[in-house]
Amino acid sequence: MLTRSPLNGLVLRVAIVGCCTAFISILTLGNLSAATVEDHTFIATCDGSEQRYVLVTPDAFSSDQRVHLIIALHGHGSDRWQFVRQDRGECRAVRDVAAIRGALLVSPDYRAKTSWMGPKAEADVVQIIESLKSEFRIGRVILCGGSMGGTGALTFAALHPDLIDAVVSLNGTANLVEYERFLDAIAESYGGTKQQIPDEYRRRSAEFAPDRFTMPLAVTTGGGDEIVPADSVLRLVEKVQHTNRHVLSLHRPEGGHSTTYDDTKQALEFVFRAMGNH
């Protein structure tokens, strides 16, 4: 079935194929060429629930061409639209790099506002990657995210290094054992508190698995970040650098809980260049 309706002055096309739904519109990314935005619905294999992700394809994209994939994970309290719509520096930079590089940009809900890359969110991201690889000629997979998403990027890469070719973490944490914010949300996502299931919190803490980070890694941190303190990520970077020369740490001693457009773009361009030599 195919219908049309307006969305914020744009034309929205709703295509329903089997159990999947894609809402398609045209988006102009700053001064860059137009991109196609598709809002996908899928049935999660882990629990049968209906889940969503946004797929942004570059201008003049052909499904038979080889293309890199950028997966952008949103922060706590947000959803799949954060990296597609928001004007903050991190979001604009991710969109711009995807357009410049001619990459697919995917932004999943991954269990939406309080994900923290728990088991179901993890399963959703695995499913999305596998689905896109079956549909497109995917080259390299770059996983990035901000805050909770930056944490999730590190967690997922540590759990599935075979699926990820580069990681960019923006203001995330690498240690859920010591992290003391958003505890109710994390407990709901993980299935218990850190006292009840300590092994699960440790397993999802990238700091305890530095050997998994053999792929290019870029992180941004702020010395003044009180929401997600930088210490654990800086410790992870120090460990990974012993065995991986493709590591970039952009630490701003006076920085807070955000990353500038320029730092985000630098981090993403670093991993793209490193993948060429990796």
Side-chain angles (χ1 to χ4, degrees):
M1 179 176 69
L2 198 64
T3 61
R4 295 177 181 272
S5 60
L7 176 67
N8 296 330
L10 301 176
V11 173
L12 174 67
R13 186 176 67 192
V14 185
I16 302 177
V17 182
C19 64
C20 297
T21 306
F23 297 84
I24 307 172
S25 61
I26 303 300
L27 176 71
T28 301
L29 303 179
N31 294 323
L32 301 172
S33 56
T36 301
V37 179
E38 303 176 9
D39 189 15
H40 286 261
T41 299
F42 67 99
I43 302 303
T45 56
C46 70
D47 64 358
S49 65
E50 185 178 275
Q51 299 298 324
R52 294 176 174 84
Y53 67 89
V54 179
L55 172 65
V56 182
T57 55
D59 186 36
F61 172 71
S62 174
S63 60
D64 62 353
Q65 72 185 68
R66 186 174 182 271
V67 64
H68 297 316
L69 170 64
I70 300 176
I71 302 174
L73 303 177
H74 63 79
H76 181 94
S78 193
D79 62 16
R80 65 195 183 283
W81 292 106
Q82 183 179 48
F83 275 93
V84 178
R85 289 176 172 168
Q86 285 192 11
D87 193 47
R88 46 188 297 144
E90 302 102 309
C91 302
R92 288 189 294 108
V94 169
R95 294 194 296 266
D96 286 356
V97 170
I100 291 168
R101 291 282 180 171
L104 298 178
L105 172 60
V106 168
S107 184
D109 264 345
Y110 76 113
R111 304 294 160 145
K113 300 183 182 298
T114 58
S115 166
W116 291 96
M117 197 52 74
K120 292 181 180 180
E122 174 194 349
D124 288 350
V125 176
V126 170
Q127 183 177 346
I128 290 169
I129 292 173
E130 292 176 344
S131 175
L132 292 173
K133 284 185 173 180
S134 70
E135 183 178 356
F136 302 106
R137 293 181 57 205
I138 301 297
R140 303 297 183 93
V141 179
I142 302 92
L143 183 62
C144 69
S147 189
M148 178 182 79
T151 302
L154 294 174
T155 296
F156 188 89
L159 294 172
H160 300 278
D162 56 315
L163 295 180
I164 303 301
D165 297 294
V167 185
V168 176
S169 174
L170 312 171
N171 301 104
T173 182
N175 192 318
L176 281 306
V177 175
E178 70 178 21
Y179 188 56
E180 293 296 330
R181 298 290 296 268
F182 307 108
L183 295 180
D184 289 344
I186 297 173
E188 181 179 351
S189 176
Y190 287 11
T193 67
K194 63 180 69 178
Q195 291 76 28
Q196 293 169 331
I197 50 171
D199 290 346
E200 188 71 7
Y201 282 72
R202 185 177 180 88
R203 194 169 76 87
R204 296 185 180 279
S205 297
E207 183 180 355
F208 300 118
D211 58 304
R212 300 292 185 91
F213 290 87
T214 58
M215 72 291 285
L217 169 66
V219 304
T220 67
T221 50
D225 189 345
E226 297 181 356
I227 297 175
V228 185
D231 294 350
S232 65
V233 170
L234 295 178
R235 294 194 301 261
L236 172 65
V237 165
E238 184 177 2
K239 295 173 184 176
V240 173
Q241 284 176 329
H242 290 302
T243 56
N244 182 355
R245 64 188 180 91
H246 298 297
V247 179
L248 173 67
S249 176
L250 296 175
H251 179 67
R252 303 302 181 191
E254 305 302 321
H257 189 60
S258 64
T259 300
T260 65
Y261 176 94
D262 289 340
D263 280 358
T264 303
K265 189 173 182 180
Q266 182 180 348
L268 285 164
E269 289 292 352
F270 170 84
V271 299
F272 266 103
R273 290 193 301 271
M275 286 190 300
N277 302 313
H278 189 62

